[in-house]
């Protein structure tokens, strides 16, 4: 769908349709099964179209069923082409040849991702790297269990869009909002990994429960709700420096730098590790800790202080002190940005709510109110 390249928002709908291209005859799947979530995300396309108009933002939407090939999976993902999906057999995918798999990749999967990349490139060229907002829906019932969430926000390590989106949705007391529910937001090779994580763009995926958006009225209600929240988020005075900046946070689905399979029971002991290797291992562990904290902004500094006597600011201080010992002049702000993955004041605005009286009372008792 057309939209302004300067809108700052790119909408995606990976599972928009349950149609099939000529020659595939619905892969032998019964019509009733094609109305299920196994074939597409009911309601997601309607929300995406409406949001595109409301925000004046471009949108990329799939034209064919996920049963043909799932654009929200990596090319090497075993669920890219499903032979059985939630108990439903897909006859046209049984015994699929490598040649047919490659044909579907070339004809339906890669063109979708090329279209997304082309729009991202054009928006960056226009001077405003976009936030990527992907619209999905989920079933209200999973194997007899009624899911409690009205919506869920899926995200990986980049908190820039996800945290304010969660806060915006939770501002409505009538909503139950999942944080990486009903699915996890870190999937190596999926659409957000390819176009958000790997390109350093702020991103989030919204899942809306299908019973709320089966009709046009429900889709309009959610499109208005989500468009209003996004508009408020992006109206922030620091929007260009926060949401429209290119920053690389990595993914929880990636192996840690230098990681290798776990050593067997006859691995080295500490005495056999030379000092240089030990320093490298300690540095790798520190990087892993920093990456973990960047992916868990919900773990508040005051709670870390109350429970463990240290917080992100302590790590930044220790990093600064270590630099000074090496004769390197490093400012406190620079050290904090290394730990937080963004300027400290920006992180506070995005991720640090007002401390509760109970938190402050505990902090006074444990740390004597020492401020970092």
């Amino acid at each position: 769908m057309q939209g302004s390249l300067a809108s700052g928002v790119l909408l995606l709908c990976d599972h928009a349709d349950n149609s099939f291209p000529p020659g595939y005859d619905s892969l032998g799947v019964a019509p009733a099964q094609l109305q299920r979530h196994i074939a597409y995300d009911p309601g997601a396309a309607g929300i995406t179209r409406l949001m595109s108009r409301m925000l004046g933002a471009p949108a990329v939407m799939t034209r064919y069923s996920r049963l043909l090939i799932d654009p929200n999976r990596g090319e090497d993902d075993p669920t890219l082409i499903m032979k059985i999906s939630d108990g439903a057999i897909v006859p046209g995918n049984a015994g699929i040849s490598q040649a047919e798999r490659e044909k579907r990749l070339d004809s339906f999967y890669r063109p979708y991702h090329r279209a997304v990349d082309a729009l991202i490139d054009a928006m960056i060229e226009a001077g405003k790297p976009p936030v990527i907002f992907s619209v999905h829906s989920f079933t209200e019932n999973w194997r007899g269990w009624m899911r409690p969430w009205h919506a869920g926000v899926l995200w990986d390590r980049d908190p820039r869009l996800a945290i304010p989106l969660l806060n915006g949705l939770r501002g409505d007391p009538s909503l139950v909002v999942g944080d990486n529910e009903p699915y996890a937001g870190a999937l190596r090779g999926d659409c957000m990994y390819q176009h958000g994580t790997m390109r350093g763009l702020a991103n989030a995926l919204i899942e809306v429960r299908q019973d709320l958006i089966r009709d046009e009225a429900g889709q309009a209600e959610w499109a208005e709700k989500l468009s209003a929240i996004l508009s408020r988020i992006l109206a922030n005075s620091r929007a260009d420096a926060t949401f429209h900046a290119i920053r690389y946070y990595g993914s929880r689905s990636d192996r840690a730098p230098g990681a290798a399979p776990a050593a067997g029971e006859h691995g080295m002991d500490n005495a056999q590790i030379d000092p240089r290797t030990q320093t490298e291992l300690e540095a790798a562990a520190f990087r892993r800790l920093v990456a973990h904290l960047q992916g868990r902004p919900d773990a508040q500094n005051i709670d870390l202080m109350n429970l463990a006597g240290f917080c992100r600011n302590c790590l930044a201080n220790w990093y600064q002190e270590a630099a000074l010992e090496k004769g390197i002049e490093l400012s406190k702000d620079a050290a904090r940005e290394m730990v937080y993955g963004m300027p400290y004041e920006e992180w506070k605005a995005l991720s640090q709510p007002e401390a509760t009286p109970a938190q402050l009372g505990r902090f006074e008792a444990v740390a004597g109110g020492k401020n970092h």
Side-chain angles (χ1 to χ4, degrees):
M1 294 187 66
Q2 297 296 314
S4 171
L5 297 179
S7 66
V9 179
L10 175 58
L11 301 170
L12 303 181
C13 191
D14 303 323
H15 301 146
D17 208 319
N18 59 353
S19 302
F20 291 86
Y24 284 93
D25 192 29
S26 76
L27 298 174
V29 178
Q33 297 284 16
L34 297 180
Q35 303 308 311
R36 297 178 56 202
H37 185 239
I38 63 170
Y40 76 126
D41 281 5
I47 292 175
T48 305
R49 291 190 186 97
L50 289 169
M51 289 187 68
S52 177
R53 297 185 192 118
M54 293 172 183
L55 296 171
V60 184
M61 304 168 64
T62 52
R63 297 171 56 197
Y64 301 118
S65 172
R66 66 196 298 179
L67 292 175
L68 183 72
I69 192 164
D70 193 335
N72 196 34
R73 297 293 185 271
E75 289 195 13
D76 60 350
D77 193 301
T79 65
L80 181 70
I81 298 175
M82 296 289 284
K83 298 175 176 63
I84 300 176
S85 183
D86 194 20
I89 296 174
V90 187
N93 289 343
I96 183 172
S97 67
Q98 183 62 35
E100 173 59 25
R101 182 181 183 278
E102 192 63 27
K103 176 185 175 183
R104 294 189 197 180
L105 283 166
D106 278 341
S107 300
F108 311 112
Y109 179 95
R110 290 170 183 148
Y112 176 74
H113 290 285
R114 282 197 295 268
V116 175
D117 273 331
L119 263 175
I120 290 172
D121 290 342
M123 296 178 85
I124 292 173
E125 182 66 24
K128 202 159 196 176
V131 301
I132 302 181
F133 188 76
S134 186
V135 181
H136 288 246
S137 68
F138 67 97
T139 59
E140 63 270 25
N141 186 301
W142 174 246
R143 298 181 178 179
W145 178 59
M146 292 301 296
R147 287 163 157 167
W149 312 283
H150 298 94
V153 176
L154 309 191
W155 58 294
D156 199 342
R157 278 185 175 160
D158 186 343
R160 288 176 291 173
L161 183 59
I163 296 301
L165 180 61
L166 281 165
N167 292 338
L169 287 166
R170 288 171 173 169
D172 182 343
S174 69
L175 295 179
V176 178
V177 182
D179 181 350
N180 275 321
E181 297 285 2
Y183 314 111
L187 179 60
R188 186 176 178 83
D190 72 358
C191 198
M192 301 305 275
Y193 180 93
Q194 292 186 48
H195 303 293
T197 300
M198 296 304 291
R199 299 201 61 166
L201 299 175
N203 65 89
L205 186 153
I206 187 73
E207 291 272 1
V208 184
R209 206 174 67 200
Q210 288 170 7
D211 60 316
L212 304 174
I213 55 172
R214 283 204 173 90
D215 58 23
E216 292 183 357
Q219 293 164 25
E221 178 184 348
W222 275 89
E224 291 170 4
K225 189 190 305 289
L226 293 170
S227 295
I229 292 172
L230 271 180
S231 294
R232 287 197 299 271
I233 291 171
L234 299 180
N236 186 297
S237 61
R238 294 187 58 86
D240 283 348
T242 302
F243 305 110
H244 303 301
I246 296 176
R247 293 191 187 137
Y248 296 94
Y249 289 81
S251 171
R252 291 192 296 273
S253 66
D254 291 333
R255 180 183 289 178
E265 61 179 359
H266 299 298
M268 290 184 183
D269 60 30
N270 286 341
Q272 295 173 290
I273 299 176
D274 63 87
R276 178 175 178 178
T277 300
Q278 181 175 345
T279 299
E280 291 173 352
L281 294 176
E282 290 167 351
F286 176 77
R287 288 193 297 269
R288 186 73 175 268
L289 173 61
V290 168
H292 179 77
L293 288 173
Q294 288 178 359
R296 288 296 307 274
D298 57 306
Q300 291 294 303
N301 281 335
I302 192 168
D303 292 326
L304 292 172
M305 287 295 298
N306 289 344
L307 290 170
F310 87 104
C311 68
R312 294 171 181 83
N313 290 339
C314 297
L315 288 180
N317 291 343
W318 299 335
Y319 190 86
Q320 183 189 28
E321 290 167 7
L324 290 174
E325 288 178 5
K326 292 288 186 181
I328 300 170
E329 290 290 337
L330 184 70
S331 70
K332 177 177 287 190
D333 287 343
R336 286 184 172 183
E337 185 164 345
M338 188 282 303
V339 170
Y340 286 93
M342 63 179 70
Y344 178 50
E345 293 302 321
E346 187 175 309
W347 186 90
K348 287 201 298 182
L350 285 174
S351 305
Q352 184 169 297
E354 197 72 29
T356 66
Q359 287 173 317
L360 291 171
R362 175 68 175 162
F363 183 61
E364 288 290 338
V366 171
K370 181 182 179 182
N371 190 4
H372 289 66

